[in-house]
């Protein structure tokens, strides 16, 4: 329930069948406090209990290996046998066609008190044969009369909702059946309070069922079709309001938040004339135009710059930075890692200095003394551009006049951090440019960045040769090393990357060090660099610099080099234990090569034993360089919950819609939200009353809106 008139704020303790003790458990274990919370606790799956079996059917050896079955019959009697941990309660259950044993090792005393001898029960569980006898251990058990006040189909069966539960709840006999019964009790008393939250026009147009019906059937589906309609309706509603909120936010920014007006372009012109190192691609020119237009309007820019790895986002950002500086404002560029901040700093420094601009760097390892100087320079306005990491977010970092924030590789930053940057300037908010390299699936982009305007670089700089990707088994290492040797002889440099994952850090670290030793033994004639996350920043820097200066030929590293590092002469990326990396991550890693004019290679090394998903991941990479295709495959394989950036961001908190599967609904919902907001931004029209009411009730109560930056 997203709609919360006072009735739905009632504490669940007052619901028939709950009471203070269960209420406390619901509060603690499920975060359910009110009627609304309970109604919104949707099942995460459903079991097909539309069919009843006869005991004779399952005891028939032909039918062995059945999954869980549902039976209807009488519990004749029971007994307790065994001692200690073997102590168990055995119930003898028969239905006229045969008899079966029901076995419990737990809750024995509770069962003794509550079981009804000769009672009629519905039993559900997985039958197993042991010594010629059939039994079900820890079956679900329900008195037939209780079972039968559920909506049933012709055969007397139903779809059983399965709810998220905790071990503690189960121990207190709170199971899915009980929750379904509570939902039923709640629905019965609340039907008259449930209001429709979508306008009639949308309901008609997309043939959605009403809110009441949907809530009923999501908990107590009469049949498969009703369940399908209920889910469709609730997903639509959820995605509609998700998009409505984001688009509304965007409109508010556009109309209400002033931005500095940047019109002078002296440095920009000079840079184009004297220092631009290459011809910009058409895509780069187009996105620069889009950014410049934003920064001229007098409204705050909030723009997402999307472009595949290596598409040349940095230069675009730099040109936008020059525009800010041209107009007496300062700029900051924030990167997710020290290495990347260093790289940007080193890369941009020559340009900045050629134009007589002061650029500086602030990271976690900047000394106190240095910091004081930087803080001062920023306040006085003598520093024009600052490049850094999260360190830039600290409150003490204040500017004379911050005009533009560029956030690189956004997926590492949360939305809250984005918001923090807003407040770095007194008076007018700075313009914000978010750059993301992982091409994220469209559905995720819509929900994560739906409040931003989007610019896309969909073209690679000319002369790039597509990276050749191959998959090799560990047993071919000798041949792979032979190939590496040839490439180094031609003057190229090599990355060899190892996984380093927190949970198995020690082992991974050993793998990395073993790998390093074996590489140095195999290439005695060459110099190696090594970089990993546990090294002090100074040492990392030093190793990185040696590689950039081509003093070393091979860089052995963990994924710290994943993001953004740019060494055009490095043309081979070897990924060890590639099966342990995600698809997007592998694509990112591969993007470290292919930046120069030479043919580049990516070699994915794995064990021979691979899961089906892993094979799909590797095949996808070998087949395509297209980041969007890769992102979509990734989403399908992993599901959205797992995608980097979604958990921390807090923006995507969908309870029923699934970004991997509901892309089509999302698209339509977004179009609807967009059209309504264009047509009637203040929701004055009578047909939009349901939206207005809903938005207002949500705003009045504890709300999701505050989470949006
Ligand atoms: P990303 O979009 O992944 O951040 P970068 O900005 O690091 O990519 O650019 C990748 C490489 O391509 C850099 O070496 C950069 O100098 C180069 N580059 C960018 N734009 C062009 C262009 N138009 N022509 C040639 N090289 C370019
Ligand atoms: Mg980059």
């Amino acid at each position: 329930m997203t709609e919360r008139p006072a009735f739905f704020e009632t504490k669940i303790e007052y619901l028939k069948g709950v009471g203070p003790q269960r209420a406390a458990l619901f509060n603690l274990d499920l975060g359910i406090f009110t009627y609304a919370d309970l109604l919104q606790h949707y099942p995460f799956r459903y079991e097909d209990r539309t069919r009843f079996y006869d005991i004779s059917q399952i005891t028939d050896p032909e039918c062995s290996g059945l999954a869980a079955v549902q039976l209807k019959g009488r519990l004749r009697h029971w007994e307790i046998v065994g001692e200690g941990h073997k102590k168990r309660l055995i119930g003898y259950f028969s239905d006229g066609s045969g008899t079966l044993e029901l076995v419990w090792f737990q809750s024995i005393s509770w069962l003794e008190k509550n079981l009804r001898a000769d009672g009629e029960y519905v039993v559900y569980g997985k039958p197993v044969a042991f010594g010629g006898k059939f039994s079900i251990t820890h079956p679900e058990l329900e008195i037939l009369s209780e079972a039968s006040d559920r909506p049933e189909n012709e055969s007397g069966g139903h779809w059983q909702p399965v709810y998220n539960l905790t071990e503690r709840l189960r121990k207190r006999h709170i199971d899915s059946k009980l929750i379904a019964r509570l939902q039923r009790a709640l629905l019965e008393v609340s039907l008259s309070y449930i209001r429709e939250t979508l306008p009639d026009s949308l309901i008609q147009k997309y043939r959605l069922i009403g809110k009441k019906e949907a809530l009923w059937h999501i908990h107590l589906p009469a049949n498969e079709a009703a369940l399908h309609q209920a889910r469709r309706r609730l997903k639509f509603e959820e995605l509609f309001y998700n998009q409505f909120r984001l688009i509304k936010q965007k409109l508010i920014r556009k109309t209400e938040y002033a931005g500095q007006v940047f019109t002078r372009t002296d440095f920009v012109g000079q840079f184009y004339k004297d220092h631009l190192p290459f011809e910009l691609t058409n895509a780069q020119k187009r996105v620069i135009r889009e950014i410049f237009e934003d920064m001229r309007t007098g409204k705050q820019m909030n723009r997402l710059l999307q472009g595949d790895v290596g598409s040349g986002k940095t230069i675009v950002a730099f040109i936008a930075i020059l525009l800010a500086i041209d107009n007496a404002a300062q700029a900051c560029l924030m990167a997710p890692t020290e290495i990347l901040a260093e790289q940007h700093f080193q890369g941009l420094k020559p340009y900045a200095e050629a134009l007589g601009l002061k650029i500086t760097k602030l990271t976690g390892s900047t000394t106190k003394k240095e910091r004081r100087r930087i803080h001062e320079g920023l306040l006085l306005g003598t520093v024009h551009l600052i490049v850094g990491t999260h360190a830039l977010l600290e409150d003490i970092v204040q500017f004379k006049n911050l005009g533009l924030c560029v956030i690189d590789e956004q997926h590492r930053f949360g939305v809250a951090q984005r918001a923090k940057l807003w407040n770095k300037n007194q008076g007018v908010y700075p313009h914000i440019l978010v750059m993301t390299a992982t091409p994220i699936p469209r559905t995720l982009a819509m929900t994560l960045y739906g409040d931003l305007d989007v610019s896309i670089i969909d073209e690679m700089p000319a002369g790039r040769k597509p990276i050749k990707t191959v998959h090799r088994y560990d047993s071919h290492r000798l041949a792979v090393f032979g190939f590496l040797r040839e490439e180094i002889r031609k003057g190229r440099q090599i990355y060899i990357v190892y996984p380093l994952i927190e949970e198995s850090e020690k082992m991974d670290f050993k793998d990395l060090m073993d790998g390093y030793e074996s590489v140095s033994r195999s290439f005695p004639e060459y110099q190696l660099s090594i970089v990993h996350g546990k090294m002090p920043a100074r040492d990392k820097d030093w190793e990185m610099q040696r590689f950039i200066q081509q003093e070393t030929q091979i860089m052995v590293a963990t994924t710290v080099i994943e993001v953004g590092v740019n060494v055009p002469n490095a043309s081979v990326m070897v990924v060890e234990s590639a099966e342990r990396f995600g698809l997007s991550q592998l694509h990112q890693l591969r993007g470290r090569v292919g930046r120069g004019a030479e043919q580049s290679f990516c070699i994915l090394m794995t064990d021979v034993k691979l899961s089906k998903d892993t094979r799909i991941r590797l095949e996808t990479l070998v087949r395509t360089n297209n980041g969007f295709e890769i992102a979509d495959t990734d989403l399908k394989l992993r599901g959205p919950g797992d995608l980097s950036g979604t958990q921390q961001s807090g923006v995507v908190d969908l309870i029923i819609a699934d970004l991997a599967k509901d892309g089509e609904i999302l698209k339509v919902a977004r179009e609807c939200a967009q059209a309504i907001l264009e047509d009637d931004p203040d929701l004055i029209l009578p047909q939009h009353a349901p939206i207005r009411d809903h938005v207002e009730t949500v705003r009045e109560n504890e709300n999701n809106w505050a989470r949006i930056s």
Side-chain angles (χ1 to χ4, degrees):
M1 273 302 288
T2 33
E3 176 187 16
R4 303 182 161 210
F7 175 80
F8 291 104
E9 292 302 306
T10 312
K11 301 238 175 324
I12 42 158
E13 164 176 358
Y14 301 113
L15 181 65
K16 192 168 151 253
V18 179
Q21 272 172 8
R22 277 181 176 168
L25 285 170
F26 279 140
N27 295 172
L28 279 174
D29 283 21
L30 301 175
I32 294 174
F33 293 86
T34 62
Y35 283 7
D37 294 337
L38 182 60
L39 272 183
Q40 253 190 137
H41 188 64
Y42 301 145
F44 70 96
R45 70 183 172 88
Y46 299 81
E47 282 168 357
D48 181 355
R49 310 233 180 136
T50 50
R51 146 152 210 213
F52 285 95
Y53 284 80
D54 290 336
I55 293 177
S56 62
Q57 283 175 297
I58 54 171
T59 51
D60 178 350
E62 296 277 295
C63 292
S64 63
L66 271 179
V69 294
Q70 181 172 244
L71 307 164
K72 202 188 299 186
R74 265 178 209 284
L75 183 66
R76 296 289 172 199
H77 62 104
W78 66 83
E79 59 184 344
I80 292 173
V81 298
E83 285 297 325
H85 69 278
K86 285 208 168 147
K87 183 172 169 187
R88 59 200 185 275
L89 186 151
I90 301 180
Y92 298 90
F93 183 75
S94 59
D95 66 355
S97 81
T99 300
L100 180 99
E101 291 184 3
L102 306 177
V103 184
W104 284 270
F105 292 91
Q106 275 153 25
S107 305
I108 293 177
S109 51
W110 185 86
L111 283 161
E112 275 189 294
K113 261 188 249 133
N114 289 281
L115 287 179
R116 292 187 206 167
D118 219 31
E120 272 199 294
Y121 282 97
V122 172
V123 164
Y124 182 82
K126 187 174 159 44
V128 289
F130 189 73
K133 277 198 287 194
F134 278 81
S135 67
I136 299 179
T137 303
H138 290 170
E140 274 182 37
L141 198 64
E142 196 178 20
I143 293 276
L144 183 61
S145 60
E146 279 174 7
S148 56
D149 53 47
R150 252 194 314 263
E152 290 176 353
N153 61 15
E154 312 72 55
S155 62
H158 69 289
W159 285 84
Q160 174 65 44
V162 183
Y163 294 92
N164 261 324
L165 289 166
T166 62
E167 213 33 59
R168 174 158 60 173
L169 292 175
R170 278 200 197 89
K171 282 213 181 92
R172 306 287 192 89
H173 310 288
I174 296 175
D175 58 10
S176 287
K177 281 229 158 87
L178 177 84
I179 295 189
R181 261 204 304 281
L182 296 176
Q183 296 287 10
R184 185 188 177 81
L186 177 53
L187 280 164
E188 273 164 2
V189 292
S190 47
L191 277 184
S192 62
Y193 295 92
I194 297 173
R195 277 184 289 170
E196 182 50 64
T197 55
L198 290 175
D200 204 41
S201 57
L202 291 186
I203 290 179
Q204 298 297 333
K205 184 163 174 202
Y206 296 103
R207 295 167 191 275
L208 301 171
I209 60 171
K211 177 87 181 203
K212 284 182 196 182
E213 223 184 321
L215 281 175
W216 186 275
H217 289 294
I218 201 76
H219 292 293
L220 310 162
N223 53 50
E224 227 174 335
L227 174 59
H228 175 75
Q229 288 306 331
R231 302 182 71 149
R232 190 166 153 270
R233 144 80 209 212
L234 294 171
K235 284 173 177 201
F236 185 96
E237 173 181 331
E238 181 168 55
L239 292 170
F240 173 82
Y241 279 105
N242 168 285
Q243 291 301 309
F244 187 89
R245 189 178 68 204
L246 289 166
I247 297 168
K248 177 89 189 167
Q249 192 70 26
K250 184 157 128 183
L251 290 178
I252 290 174
R253 282 175 183 167
K254 285 211 158 128
T255 51
E256 289 178 11
Y257 298 151
Q260 303 194 52
V261 181
F262 294 159
T263 47
R264 260 208 326 271
T265 56
D266 299 343
F267 285 126
V268 175
Q270 198 187 336
F271 181 69
Y272 276 136
K273 196 156 81 43
D274 300 332
H275 307 289
L276 193 63
F278 35 65
E279 174 83 11
L280 294 174
T281 63
N282 286 328
Q284 284 171 318
K285 288 182 196 158
R286 173 172 41 78
V287 302
I288 290 170
R289 261 200 313 278
E290 289 165 357
I291 293 167
F292 275 30
E293 264 161 39
D294 278 4
M295 303 215 308
R296 253 201 300 266
T297 54
K299 298 294 174 194
Q300 189 212 7
M301 171 173 78
N302 276 283
R303 188 165 281 279
L304 174 70
L305 176 57
Q306 227 185 1
D308 209 346
V309 198
S311 60
K313 294 183 289 294
T314 316
I315 197 84
V316 171
F318 184 68
I319 291 166
I321 287 167
L322 286 182
L323 181 68
I325 299 174
D326 254 321
N327 293 273
Q330 295 159 288
C332 72
L333 168 57
M334 187 160 79
T337 64
E338 292 215 3
I339 288 187
L340 188 57
E342 176 65 26
Q343 173 113 34
H344 277 318
F345 179 67
Q346 295 299 340
L348 298 181
K349 202 166 155 203
Y351 298 146
E353 286 177 348
L355 294 166
L357 303 175
K358 173 92 174 130
I359 176 173
T360 184
K361 186 185 73 171
L362 179 70
T363 68
S365 50
T366 308
T367 61
K368 259 207 175 122
K369 209 171 110 204
E370 184 71 15
R371 272 171 201 247
R372 257 203 306 275
R373 253 197 29 233
I374 294 172
H375 295 158
E376 216 177 77
L378 290 173
L379 270 179
L380 289 172
T382 50
V383 172
H384 300 106
L385 167 60
I386 184 160
V387 176
T389 55
H390 291 72
L392 290 173
L393 293 173
E394 284 167 25
D395 290 334
I396 190 159
V397 181
Q398 294 292 332
F399 294 77
K400 180 169 181 222
N401 177 22
L402 180 62
L404 170 67
C405 295
V406 181
I407 309 175
D408 194 10
E409 319 287 350
Q410 151 82 8
H411 61 291
R412 305 276 174 118
F413 289 121
V415 170
Q417 289 165 316
R418 218 203 290 166
K420 234 176 157 177
L421 281 172
W422 279 44
N423 298 315
K424 286 273 168 199
N425 206 43
Q426 256 81 59
V428 186
Y429 290 134
H431 295 295
I432 304 274
L433 182 66
V434 174
M435 305 199 289
T436 169
T438 320
I440 57 171
R442 285 184 52 77
T443 52
L444 191 60
M446 262 188 243
T447 41
L448 269 183
Y449 307 124
D451 60 329
L452 303 179
D453 295 303
V454 182
S455 288
I456 298 179
I457 307 186
D458 51 4
E459 179 188 359
M460 286 288 177
R464 292 272 173 83
K465 296 196 180 77
I467 302 162
K468 285 193 179 138
T469 303
V470 294
H471 170 207
R472 293 283 179 269
Y473 295 117
D474 293 336
S475 49
H476 293 116
R477 187 171 307 279
L478 221 54
V480 169
F481 278 12
F483 173 76
L484 299 184
R485 192 165 286 116
E486 266 171 50
E487 288 298 301
I488 300 175
R489 252 190 234 127
K490 289 189 210 155
R492 311 288 132 69
Q493 288 166 283
I494 315 276
Y495 292 109
I496 305 181
V497 176
Y498 288 81
L500 208 166
I501 294 163
E502 258 164 58
E503 302 91 70
S504 49
E505 206 171 272
K506 277 211 180 95
M507 287 277 291
D508 283 348
F509 194 70
K510 187 173 174 308
D511 288 350
L512 173 77
M513 286 310 170
D514 289 352
Y516 177 75
E517 293 211 341
S518 122
V519 176
S520 45
R521 268 199 310 276
S522 308
F523 296 89
E525 68 275 41
Y526 296 121
Q527 301 295 315
L528 271 59
S529 285
I530 180 163
V531 172
H532 57 80
K534 290 273 170 296
M535 285 164 76
R538 258 210 346 258
D539 297 359
K540 267 193 258 180
D541 256 25
W542 189 75
E543 293 278 346
M544 232 11 246
Q545 285 310 319
R546 289 204 322 143
F547 189 63
I548 292 170
Q549 308 299 334
Q550 303 191 24
E551 286 163 27
T552 60
Q553 289 75 42
I554 303 175
M555 159 71 74
V556 175
T558 56
T559 42
V560 287
I561 66 150
E562 177 191 340
V563 173
V565 169
N566 187 23
V567 182
N569 191 55
S571 65
V572 185
M573 166 66 62
V574 180
V575 185
E576 294 285 348
S577 304
E579 66 269 34
R580 294 183 50 203
F581 291 91
L583 194 41
S584 293
Q585 211 181 4
L586 288 169
H587 180 62
Q588 283 274 1
L589 280 169
R590 175 167 66 178
R592 297 310 106 215
V593 297
R595 298 183 158 228
E598 309 304 335
Q599 176 63 57
S600 293
F601 301 90
C602 174
I603 305 173
L604 305 169
M605 303 290 296
T606 71
D607 194 9
V608 280
K609 272 200 301 229
L610 297 174
S611 71
K612 190 167 150 252
D613 276 11
T614 305
R615 286 198 187 277
I616 296 175
R617 284 209 299 276
L618 299 172
E619 280 162 21
T620 306
L621 284 162
V622 170
R623 187 184 69 243
T624 179
N625 273 309
N626 181 326
F628 287 97
E629 192 180 332
I630 287 165
D632 282 335
T633 308
D634 198 26
L635 181 64
K636 285 200 187 94
L637 288 179
R638 290 202 294 170
D642 213 30
L643 290 177
S644 53
T646 53
Q647 299 99 320
Q648 313 94 293
S649 70
V651 186
V652 183
D653 55 353
L654 300 172
I655 57 176
I656 186 159
D658 175 348
L659 292 179
K661 294 188 190 130
D662 300 325
E664 209 39 51
I665 302 180
L666 174 60
K667 203 170 132 248
V668 174
R670 182 173 174 86
E671 283 162 10
C672 292
Q674 180 90 44
I676 288 171
L677 279 166
E678 266 166 26
D679 196 31
D680 181 21
D682 297 320
L683 303 173
I684 295 163
L685 298 176
Q687 64 264 39
H688 296 148
I691 305 179
R692 192 176 55 231
D693 289 351
H694 178 71
V695 168
E696 259 158 33
T697 28
V698 171
R699 195 178 289 138
E700 270 163 26
N701 292 292
E702 45 92 68
N703 54 57
N704 299 323
W705 295 64
R707 294 196 207 161
I708 302 299
S709 62

